[in-house]
């Protein structure tokens, strides 16, 4: 059964979010894929890079890190804490980017839940990046917009 989330809020943030993104990433991804605070600081120091952090009762529970150039936004990473999944937070974080224009992202061939979520939001697979991840696995390139 889906959890009802009260007091769900979304905050657009900059480099000051590096610490909270590192904490959320650590709890959302397998240990071999975790990005540290310094990596988030470096990414957030590049022009056009921002985050959106989802909070429940002011506690951070999910995030998306993205970079916008003109009318195209690239999702660099997204995650929701396991306890808060399947409540619509992932979808809401991505929908919040649609007013910027086109959205592009890479997703592992084996990440079926994320691929399903992106397709349900209107993303199409437009390409493949071979050997994209450290373990040598491939990624789909997915695109939203005309
Ligand atoms: C992918 C992720 C961000 C989705 O976040 P979420 O808040 O659970 O997403 P939502 O609740 O908005 O779900 C959106 C849809 O995705 C699909 N989905 C999400 N998780 C799923 C799962 N475990 N199994 C099947 N479908 C799933 C469902 O269609 C779901 O809609 P529904 O609940 O109405 O059926 C979250 O699972 C996560 O953090 N995963 C680990 C990190 C990751 O893989 N990030 C993506 C890298 S590209």
């Amino acid at each position: 059964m889906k959890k009802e989330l009260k007091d769900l809020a979304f905050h657009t943030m900059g480099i000051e979010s590096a610490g909270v993104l590192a904490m959320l990433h650590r709890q959302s991804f397998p240990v071999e894929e975790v990005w540290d605070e310094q990596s988030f600081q470096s990414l957030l120091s590049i022009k056009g890079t921002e985050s959106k952090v989802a909070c429940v009762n002011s506690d951070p529970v999910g995030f998306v890190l993205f970079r916008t150039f003109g009318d195209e936004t690239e999702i660099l990473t997204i995650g929701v804490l396991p306890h808060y999944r399947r409540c619509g937070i992932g979808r809401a974080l991505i929908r919040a980017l649609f007013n910027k224009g086109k959205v592009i992202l890479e997703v592992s061939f084996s990440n079926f839940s994320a691929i399903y979520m992106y397709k349900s939001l209107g993303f199409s697979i437009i390409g493949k990046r071979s050997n994209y991840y450290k373990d040598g696995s491939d990624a789909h390139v997915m695109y939203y917009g005309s």
Side-chain angles (χ1 to χ4, degrees), residues 19-55:
V20 78
L21 297 193
M23 179 277 286
L24 291 168
H25 202 275
R26 192 172 56 245
Q27 294 182 49
S28 303
F29 282 82
V31 66
E32 65 278 8
E33 294 174 26
V34 164
W35 300 2
D36 62 14
E37 183 171 346
Q38 210 176 352
S39 305
F40 279 105
Q41 266 172 2
S42 304
L43 289 163
L44 283 157
S45 66
I46 297 170
K47 196 168 173 241
T49 313
E50 291 175 297
S51 68
K52 284 190 189 289
V53 177
C55 293

mmCIF file of all heavy atoms in Angstrom, residues 19-55:
data_model
loop_
_atom_site.group_PDB
_atom_site.id
_atom_site.type_symbol
_atom_site.label_atom_id
_atom_site.label_comp_id
_atom_site.label_asym_id
_atom_site.label_seq_id
_atom_site.Cartn_x
_atom_site.Cartn_y
_atom_site.Cartn_z
ATOM 1 N N GLY A 19 26.490 18.397 1.029
ATOM 2 C CA GLY A 19 26.511 17.471 2.166
ATOM 3 C C GLY A 19 25.259 16.610 2.230
ATOM 4 O O GLY A 19 25.327 15.386 2.418
ATOM 5 N N VAL A 20 24.110 17.231 2.042
ATOM 6 C CA VAL A 20 22.852 16.483 2.135
ATOM 7 C C VAL A 20 22.715 15.536 0.938
ATOM 8 O O VAL A 20 22.233 14.403 1.072
ATOM 9 C CB VAL A 20 21.646 17.433 2.322
ATOM 10 C CG1 VAL A 20 21.213 18.093 1.040
ATOM 11 C CG2 VAL A 20 20.469 16.692 2.892
ATOM 12 N N LEU A 21 23.196 15.944 -0.230
ATOM 13 C CA LEU A 21 23.134 15.056 -1.399
ATOM 14 C C LEU A 21 24.029 13.828 -1.173
ATOM 15 O O LEU A 21 23.642 12.701 -1.524
ATOM 16 C CB LEU A 21 23.575 15.783 -2.673
ATOM 17 C CG LEU A 21 22.737 16.976 -3.138
ATOM 18 C CD1 LEU A 21 23.125 17.367 -4.561
ATOM 19 C CD2 LEU A 21 21.255 16.727 -3.065
ATOM 20 N N ALA A 22 25.205 14.047 -0.580
ATOM 21 C CA ALA A 22 26.109 12.914 -0.318
ATOM 22 C C ALA A 22 25.445 11.928 0.650
ATOM 23 O O ALA A 22 25.511 10.705 0.462
ATOM 24 C CB ALA A 22 27.438 13.416 0.239
ATOM 25 N N MET A 23 24.759 12.450 1.661
ATOM 26 C CA MET A 23 24.080 11.596 2.641
ATOM 27 C C MET A 23 22.956 10.799 1.954
ATOM 28 O O MET A 23 22.836 9.580 2.144
ATOM 29 C CB MET A 23 23.527 12.486 3.770
ATOM 30 C CG MET A 23 22.770 11.773 4.862
ATOM 31 S SD MET A 23 21.045 11.448 4.473
ATOM 32 C CE MET A 23 20.338 13.090 4.633
ATOM 33 N N LEU A 24 22.153 11.490 1.128
ATOM 34 C CA LEU A 24 21.039 10.811 0.449
ATOM 35 C C LEU A 24 21.555 9.801 -0.576
ATOM 36 O O LEU A 24 21.006 8.706 -0.715
ATOM 37 C CB LEU A 24 20.138 11.846 -0.241
ATOM 38 C CG LEU A 24 19.337 12.758 0.691
ATOM 39 C CD1 LEU A 24 18.725 13.920 -0.092
ATOM 40 C CD2 LEU A 24 18.241 11.972 1.409
ATOM 41 N N HIS A 25 22.627 10.163 -1.284
ATOM 42 C CA HIS A 25 23.185 9.255 -2.295
ATOM 43 C C HIS A 25 23.700 7.976 -1.632
ATOM 44 O O HIS A 25 23.461 6.863 -2.120
ATOM 45 C CB HIS A 25 24.315 9.973 -3.040
ATOM 46 C CG HIS A 25 24.629 9.409 -4.397
ATOM 47 N ND1 HIS A 25 25.483 8.356 -4.572
ATOM 48 C CD2 HIS A 25 24.191 9.745 -5.638
ATOM 49 C CE1 HIS A 25 25.568 8.079 -5.880
ATOM 50 N NE2 HIS A 25 24.788 8.905 -6.541
ATOM 51 N N ARG A 26 24.388 8.146 -0.496
ATOM 52 C CA ARG A 26 24.952 6.990 0.232
ATOM 53 C C ARG A 26 23.850 6.005 0.630
ATOM 54 O O ARG A 26 24.040 4.798 0.618
ATOM 55 C CB ARG A 26 25.695 7.494 1.470
ATOM 56 C CG ARG A 26 26.552 6.455 2.154
ATOM 57 C CD ARG A 26 27.415 7.050 3.252
ATOM 58 N NE ARG A 26 26.631 7.759 4.260
ATOM 59 C CZ ARG A 26 26.686 9.059 4.494
ATOM 60 N NH1 ARG A 26 27.493 9.830 3.796
ATOM 61 N NH2 ARG A 26 25.946 9.612 5.437
ATOM 62 N N GLN A 27 22.686 6.547 0.963
ATOM 63 C CA GLN A 27 21.603 5.675 1.429
ATOM 64 C C GLN A 27 20.697 5.184 0.293
ATOM 65 O O GLN A 27 19.822 4.359 0.517
ATOM 66 C CB GLN A 27 20.761 6.418 2.469
ATOM 67 C CG GLN A 27 21.545 6.714 3.735
ATOM 68 C CD GLN A 27 20.688 7.398 4.786
ATOM 69 O OE1 GLN A 27 19.597 6.957 5.087
ATOM 70 N NE2 GLN A 27 21.185 8.492 5.327
ATOM 71 N N SER A 28 20.916 5.709 -0.912
ATOM 72 C CA SER A 28 20.039 5.350 -2.032
ATOM 73 C C SER A 28 20.688 4.399 -3.024
ATOM 74 O O SER A 28 19.987 3.728 -3.779
ATOM 75 C CB SER A 28 19.603 6.611 -2.806
ATOM 76 O OG SER A 28 18.975 7.524 -1.963
ATOM 77 N N PHE A 29 22.043 4.390 -3.066
ATOM 78 C CA PHE A 29 22.750 3.614 -4.091
ATOM 79 C C PHE A 29 23.599 2.510 -3.453
ATOM 80 O O PHE A 29 24.007 2.627 -2.292
ATOM 81 C CB PHE A 29 23.667 4.547 -4.898
ATOM 82 C CG PHE A 29 22.939 5.371 -5.921
ATOM 83 C CD1 PHE A 29 22.292 6.550 -5.553
ATOM 84 C CD2 PHE A 29 22.864 4.974 -7.250
ATOM 85 C CE1 PHE A 29 21.607 7.312 -6.483
ATOM 86 C CE2 PHE A 29 22.182 5.721 -8.191
ATOM 87 C CZ PHE A 29 21.551 6.891 -7.810
ATOM 88 N N PRO A 30 23.930 1.452 -4.215
ATOM 89 C CA PRO A 30 24.847 0.434 -3.711
ATOM 90 C C PRO A 30 26.214 1.051 -3.386
ATOM 91 O O PRO A 30 26.616 2.027 -4.033
ATOM 92 C CB PRO A 30 24.977 -0.545 -4.895
ATOM 93 C CG PRO A 30 23.866 -0.231 -5.819
ATOM 94 C CD PRO A 30 23.452 1.185 -5.577
ATOM 95 N N VAL A 31 26.898 0.493 -2.416
ATOM 96 C CA VAL A 31 28.117 1.101 -1.874
ATOM 97 C C VAL A 31 29.159 1.390 -2.958
ATOM 98 O O VAL A 31 29.849 2.409 -2.929
ATOM 99 C CB VAL A 31 28.682 0.233 -0.721
ATOM 100 C CG1 VAL A 31 29.159 -1.130 -1.210
ATOM 101 C CG2 VAL A 31 29.762 0.956 0.030
ATOM 102 N N GLU A 32 29.248 0.525 -3.985
ATOM 103 C CA GLU A 32 30.271 0.722 -5.017
ATOM 104 C C GLU A 32 29.928 1.863 -5.978
ATOM 105 O O GLU A 32 30.748 2.269 -6.796
ATOM 106 C CB GLU A 32 30.531 -0.595 -5.779
ATOM 107 C CG GLU A 32 29.369 -1.137 -6.599
ATOM 108 C CD GLU A 32 28.349 -1.942 -5.760
ATOM 109 O OE1 GLU A 32 28.454 -1.953 -4.521
ATOM 110 O OE2 GLU A 32 27.441 -2.543 -6.372
ATOM 111 N N GLU A 33 28.714 2.410 -5.847
ATOM 112 C CA GLU A 33 28.305 3.494 -6.757
ATOM 113 C C GLU A 33 28.184 4.847 -6.054
ATOM 114 O O GLU A 33 27.765 5.837 -6.661
ATOM 115 C CB GLU A 33 26.944 3.163 -7.383
ATOM 116 C CG GLU A 33 26.980 1.964 -8.308
ATOM 117 C CD GLU A 33 25.595 1.573 -8.803
ATOM 118 O OE1 GLU A 33 24.706 2.443 -8.866
ATOM 119 O OE2 GLU A 33 25.409 0.388 -9.105
ATOM 120 N N VAL A 34 28.549 4.876 -4.757
ATOM 121 C CA VAL A 34 28.289 6.091 -3.972
ATOM 122 C C VAL A 34 29.227 7.243 -4.362
ATOM 123 O O VAL A 34 30.414 7.026 -4.591
ATOM 124 C CB VAL A 34 28.417 5.743 -2.468
ATOM 125 C CG1 VAL A 34 28.552 7.000 -1.633
ATOM 126 C CG2 VAL A 34 27.207 4.928 -2.017
ATOM 127 N N TRP A 35 28.666 8.452 -4.447
ATOM 128 C CA TRP A 35 29.450 9.673 -4.705
ATOM 129 C C TRP A 35 29.629 10.401 -3.369
ATOM 130 O O TRP A 35 28.673 10.534 -2.601
ATOM 131 C CB TRP A 35 28.724 10.614 -5.658
ATOM 132 C CG TRP A 35 28.409 10.043 -7.013
ATOM 133 C CD1 TRP A 35 28.663 8.774 -7.470
ATOM 134 C CD2 TRP A 35 27.754 10.720 -8.092
ATOM 135 N NE1 TRP A 35 28.216 8.630 -8.758
ATOM 136 C CE2 TRP A 35 27.647 9.806 -9.163
ATOM 137 C CE3 TRP A 35 27.245 12.016 -8.259
ATOM 138 C CZ2 TRP A 35 27.064 10.142 -10.381
ATOM 139 C CZ3 TRP A 35 26.661 12.351 -9.466
ATOM 140 C CH2 TRP A 35 26.574 11.434 -10.510
ATOM 141 N N ASP A 36 30.856 10.927 -3.125
ATOM 142 C CA ASP A 36 31.084 11.600 -1.840
ATOM 143 C C ASP A 36 30.779 13.109 -1.941
ATOM 144 O O ASP A 36 30.500 13.639 -3.017
ATOM 145 C CB ASP A 36 32.509 11.345 -1.320
ATOM 146 C CG ASP A 36 33.571 11.882 -2.261
ATOM 147 O OD1 ASP A 36 33.240 12.681 -3.168
ATOM 148 O OD2 ASP A 36 34.744 11.498 -2.076
ATOM 149 N N GLU A 37 30.878 13.770 -0.777
ATOM 150 C CA GLU A 37 30.514 15.192 -0.704
ATOM 151 C C GLU A 37 31.381 16.039 -1.637
ATOM 152 O O GLU A 37 30.901 16.977 -2.275
ATOM 153 C CB GLU A 37 30.630 15.673 0.746
ATOM 154 C CG GLU A 37 30.198 17.115 0.905
ATOM 155 C CD GLU A 37 30.098 17.566 2.353
ATOM 156 O OE1 GLU A 37 30.111 16.698 3.259
ATOM 157 O OE2 GLU A 37 30.013 18.785 2.566
ATOM 158 N N GLN A 38 32.671 15.669 -1.720
ATOM 159 C CA GLN A 38 33.578 16.446 -2.573
ATOM 160 C C GLN A 38 33.162 16.351 -4.051
ATOM 161 O O GLN A 38 33.222 17.335 -4.789
ATOM 162 C CB GLN A 38 34.991 15.910 -2.409
ATOM 163 C CG GLN A 38 36.024 16.981 -2.612
ATOM 164 C CD GLN A 38 37.426 16.451 -2.349
ATOM 165 O OE1 GLN A 38 37.619 15.314 -1.876
ATOM 166 N NE2 GLN A 38 38.396 17.259 -2.660
ATOM 167 N N SER A 39 32.719 15.167 -4.456
ATOM 168 C CA SER A 39 32.255 15.013 -5.836
ATOM 169 C C SER A 39 31.039 15.908 -6.089
ATOM 170 O O SER A 39 30.938 16.554 -7.139
ATOM 171 C CB SER A 39 31.851 13.562 -6.115
ATOM 172 O OG SER A 39 32.896 12.697 -5.806
ATOM 173 N N PHE A 40 30.114 15.944 -5.119
ATOM 174 C CA PHE A 40 28.941 16.811 -5.299
ATOM 175 C C PHE A 40 29.351 18.278 -5.334
ATOM 176 O O PHE A 40 28.811 19.067 -6.109
ATOM 177 C CB PHE A 40 27.907 16.557 -4.199
ATOM 178 C CG PHE A 40 27.059 15.345 -4.482
ATOM 179 C CD1 PHE A 40 27.271 14.169 -3.783
ATOM 180 C CD2 PHE A 40 26.078 15.364 -5.457
ATOM 181 C CE1 PHE A 40 26.509 13.035 -4.049
ATOM 182 C CE2 PHE A 40 25.305 14.240 -5.735
ATOM 183 C CZ PHE A 40 25.527 13.077 -5.028
ATOM 184 N N GLN A 41 30.341 18.654 -4.485
ATOM 185 C CA GLN A 41 30.799 20.054 -4.491
ATOM 186 C C GLN A 41 31.367 20.418 -5.860
ATOM 187 O O GLN A 41 31.071 21.481 -6.405
ATOM 188 C CB GLN A 41 31.870 20.254 -3.425
ATOM 189 C CG GLN A 41 31.275 20.738 -2.123
ATOM 190 C CD GLN A 41 32.287 20.763 -1.000
ATOM 191 O OE1 GLN A 41 33.457 20.461 -1.192
ATOM 192 N NE2 GLN A 41 31.829 21.088 0.181
ATOM 193 N N SER A 42 32.182 19.508 -6.416
ATOM 194 C CA SER A 42 32.787 19.789 -7.732
ATOM 195 C C SER A 42 31.699 19.930 -8.784
ATOM 196 O O SER A 42 31.717 20.859 -9.592
ATOM 197 C CB SER A 42 33.710 18.650 -8.175
ATOM 198 O OG SER A 42 34.673 18.422 -7.216
ATOM 199 N N LEU A 43 30.734 19.007 -8.781
ATOM 200 C CA LEU A 43 29.673 19.060 -9.793
ATOM 201 C C LEU A 43 28.835 20.328 -9.649
ATOM 202 O O LEU A 43 28.509 20.986 -10.638
ATOM 203 C CB LEU A 43 28.776 17.824 -9.673
ATOM 204 C CG LEU A 43 29.430 16.523 -10.136
ATOM 205 C CD1 LEU A 43 28.650 15.315 -9.615
ATOM 206 C CD2 LEU A 43 29.514 16.489 -11.654
ATOM 207 N N LEU A 44 28.517 20.685 -8.399
ATOM 208 C CA LEU A 44 27.655 21.845 -8.156
ATOM 209 C C LEU A 44 28.383 23.165 -8.404
ATOM 210 O O LEU A 44 27.752 24.220 -8.480
ATOM 211 C CB LEU A 44 27.109 21.804 -6.732
ATOM 212 C CG LEU A 44 25.956 20.814 -6.525
ATOM 213 C CD1 LEU A 44 25.849 20.407 -5.059
ATOM 214 C CD2 LEU A 44 24.634 21.417 -7.006
ATOM 215 N N SER A 45 29.708 23.118 -8.530
ATOM 216 C CA SER A 45 30.445 24.363 -8.801
ATOM 217 C C SER A 45 30.467 24.666 -10.300
ATOM 218 O O SER A 45 30.921 25.727 -10.716
ATOM 219 C CB SER A 45 31.863 24.285 -8.227
ATOM 220 O OG SER A 45 32.586 23.299 -8.922
ATOM 221 N N ILE A 46 29.979 23.729 -11.122
ATOM 222 C CA ILE A 46 29.925 23.967 -12.576
ATOM 223 C C ILE A 46 28.643 24.733 -12.901
ATOM 224 O O ILE A 46 27.555 24.403 -12.391
ATOM 225 C CB ILE A 46 29.989 22.627 -13.344
ATOM 226 C CG1 ILE A 46 31.335 21.943 -13.048
ATOM 227 C CG2 ILE A 46 29.801 22.853 -14.845
ATOM 228 C CD1 ILE A 46 31.431 20.519 -13.556
ATOM 229 N N LYS A 47 28.798 25.763 -13.731
ATOM 230 C CA LYS A 47 27.680 26.650 -14.086
ATOM 231 C C LYS A 47 26.453 25.843 -14.551
ATOM 232 O O LYS A 47 26.607 24.871 -15.298
ATOM 233 C CB LYS A 47 28.152 27.552 -15.226
ATOM 234 C CG LYS A 47 27.298 28.738 -15.469
ATOM 235 C CD LYS A 47 28.003 29.701 -16.412
ATOM 236 C CE LYS A 47 27.019 30.796 -16.769
ATOM 237 N NZ LYS A 47 26.714 30.879 -18.150
ATOM 238 N N GLY A 48 25.299 26.236 -14.105
ATOM 239 C CA GLY A 48 24.062 25.606 -14.558
ATOM 240 C C GLY A 48 23.664 24.383 -13.751
ATOM 241 O O GLY A 48 22.645 23.760 -14.042
ATOM 242 N N THR A 49 24.490 24.022 -12.735
ATOM 243 C CA THR A 49 24.205 22.803 -11.965
ATOM 244 C C THR A 49 23.486 23.163 -10.662
ATOM 245 O O THR A 49 23.929 24.053 -9.926
ATOM 246 C CB THR A 49 25.513 22.045 -11.629
ATOM 247 O OG1 THR A 49 26.297 21.954 -12.807
ATOM 248 C CG2 THR A 49 25.209 20.665 -11.076
ATOM 249 N N GLU A 50 22.384 22.466 -10.406
ATOM 250 C CA GLU A 50 21.581 22.701 -9.191
ATOM 251 C C GLU A 50 21.012 21.372 -8.716
ATOM 252 O O GLU A 50 21.092 20.365 -9.421
ATOM 253 C CB GLU A 50 20.393 23.615 -9.510
ATOM 254 C CG GLU A 50 20.727 25.033 -9.847
ATOM 255 C CD GLU A 50 19.463 25.785 -10.260
ATOM 256 O OE1 GLU A 50 18.844 25.407 -11.280
ATOM 257 O OE2 GLU A 50 19.099 26.711 -9.531
ATOM 258 N N SER A 51 20.404 21.428 -7.523
ATOM 259 C CA SER A 51 19.710 20.234 -7.032
ATOM 260 C C SER A 51 18.290 20.622 -6.632
ATOM 261 O O SER A 51 18.009 21.794 -6.365
ATOM 262 C CB SER A 51 20.436 19.654 -5.815
ATOM 263 O OG SER A 51 20.325 20.540 -4.720
ATOM 264 N N LYS A 52 17.433 19.597 -6.600
ATOM 265 C CA LYS A 52 16.145 19.736 -5.928
ATOM 266 C C LYS A 52 16.121 18.677 -4.844
ATOM 267 O O LYS A 52 16.456 17.497 -5.114
ATOM 268 C CB LYS A 52 14.978 19.530 -6.893
ATOM 269 C CG LYS A 52 14.766 20.737 -7.793
ATOM 270 C CD LYS A 52 13.497 20.656 -8.585
ATOM 271 C CE LYS A 52 13.428 21.776 -9.629
ATOM 272 N NZ LYS A 52 13.213 23.114 -9.042
ATOM 273 N N VAL A 53 15.801 19.101 -3.633
ATOM 274 C CA VAL A 53 15.773 18.178 -2.501
ATOM 275 C C VAL A 53 14.334 18.066 -2.016
ATOM 276 O O VAL A 53 13.664 19.077 -1.791
ATOM 277 C CB VAL A 53 16.700 18.678 -1.368
ATOM 278 C CG1 VAL A 53 16.609 17.761 -0.150
ATOM 279 C CG2 VAL A 53 18.145 18.764 -1.862
ATOM 280 N N ALA A 54 13.851 16.810 -1.906
ATOM 281 C CA ALA A 54 12.501 16.564 -1.382
ATOM 282 C C ALA A 54 12.597 16.334 0.123
ATOM 283 O O ALA A 54 13.448 15.553 0.578
ATOM 284 C CB ALA A 54 11.916 15.321 -2.059
ATOM 285 N N CYS A 55 11.739 17.022 0.873
ATOM 286 C CA CYS A 55 11.752 16.882 2.335
ATOM 287 C C CYS A 55 10.372 16.482 2.842
ATOM 288 O O CYS A 55 9.356 16.960 2.333
ATOM 289 C CB CYS A 55 12.128 18.214 2.996
ATOM 290 S SG CYS A 55 13.811 18.717 2.663
#
